Amino acid sequence: MITKYLLSFLAVANVALCNKDAPQLQERPEWLLTCNRMDPNADNCFKKLFEHTFPYLAKGIPEIGVPHFEPLHIDKVSVSRGSGSLNLQGGFQNLIVHGPSNTTVRRANLDMEKKVLEFDLDIPRLRINAQYNLKGQILLLPIVGSGDVAMTLKNVKTRVVTKFTLQNLPEEAIHIDEMRVTFIVGGLRIHLDNLFNGNKVLSASLNMFLNQNAHDVLAELKTDLEHGLEAIFTVLWNKLFNKMPLKLWLL
């Protein structure tokens, strides 16, 4: 069984998503549903409320300074070190991710006493195009190259658990302080162009190996990818929640 090794992982999202000077909402817009915290079926209401926002987030919400996130742009994902069966230097740049807007909310829970917000999300397919620059080894095989990379992730099941505080911004709103993201991927396809200085035979062999061992590859990267997503989505969700005064949607 392949063990997990620590990478230093840096994810910088293009979540200059929103202008910090954008004002909080003064009136409830059509994309923002309401829930009553005393409703015995409040969790189901929260599920519908959050799921209802995804198509609007995909297109962007200019009145609070949130541009579209479909596709989602991520500036850089850097892999800096490793050991054992995973030892990589380099990373990925200019990632364009298609598919987040097709997210469905399987479960949502908002606990105002414990200040915890949880989601279980399903994403049927994520398509990622980027440039890569990698050198090292993965699963004990050498890897070196730079060029284009295409990835497809299928049946992504994600759990997001956040801890938040209530802040006056200037009206009282949720501010996410901590986030934990975990995910399971049903399938992965990956293709790296221009491996080994364009050697087509070695490139084809390594790409075939990576796809045949996709779950093991993900197992090596999963923990650090989750930490990277936490950094990205903490910023993203705060851009949204900070602009939504509680009085507009939580009765």
Side-chain angles (χ1 to χ4, degrees), residues 60-190:
I61 308 174
E63 63 265 34
I64 56 173
V66 179
H68 65 83
F69 82 95
E70 178 69 40
L72 176 65
H73 293 262
I74 301 175
D75 288 337
K76 185 178 181 182
V77 174
S78 296
V79 179
S80 63
R81 283 188 301 177
S83 60
S85 60
L86 182 63
N87 193 332
L88 287 175
Q89 296 283 342
F92 304 89
Q93 299 82 37
N94 303 319
L95 293 89
I96 301 176
V97 186
H98 292 269
S101 63
N102 295 320
T103 298
T104 57
V105 183
R106 190 167 65 253
R107 185 185 70 89
N109 174 259
L110 176 62
D111 190 322
M112 294 299 293
E113 291 186 5
K114 295 181 180 180
K115 302 294 189 297
V116 173
L117 174 61
E118 299 179 343
F119 299 95
D120 288 343
L121 308 173
D122 288 341
I123 310 172
R125 184 188 298 264
L126 290 173
R127 292 185 294 109
I128 304 170
N129 294 96
Q131 286 79 53
Y132 80 94
N133 188 329
L134 294 171
K135 182 178 181 180
Q137 64 180 34
I138 187 166
L139 305 184
L140 302 180
L141 282 185
I143 178 172
V144 60
S146 62
D148 295 330
V149 56
M151 291 179 278
T152 301
L153 285 69
K154 297 180 180 178
N155 300 321
V156 181
K157 297 186 180 298
T158 304
R159 169 161 288 186
V160 181
V161 180
T162 73
K163 294 182 179 180
F164 64 86
T165 52
L166 300 180
Q167 298 185 11
N168 295 322
L169 301 168
E171 298 287 344
E172 189 175 57
I174 282 177
H175 180 82
I176 294 171
D177 300 314
E178 297 179 30
M179 179 180 291
R180 182 72 181 102
V181 174
T182 55
F183 67 86
I184 298 173
V185 175
L188 168 69
R189 297 292 298 174
I190 184 169

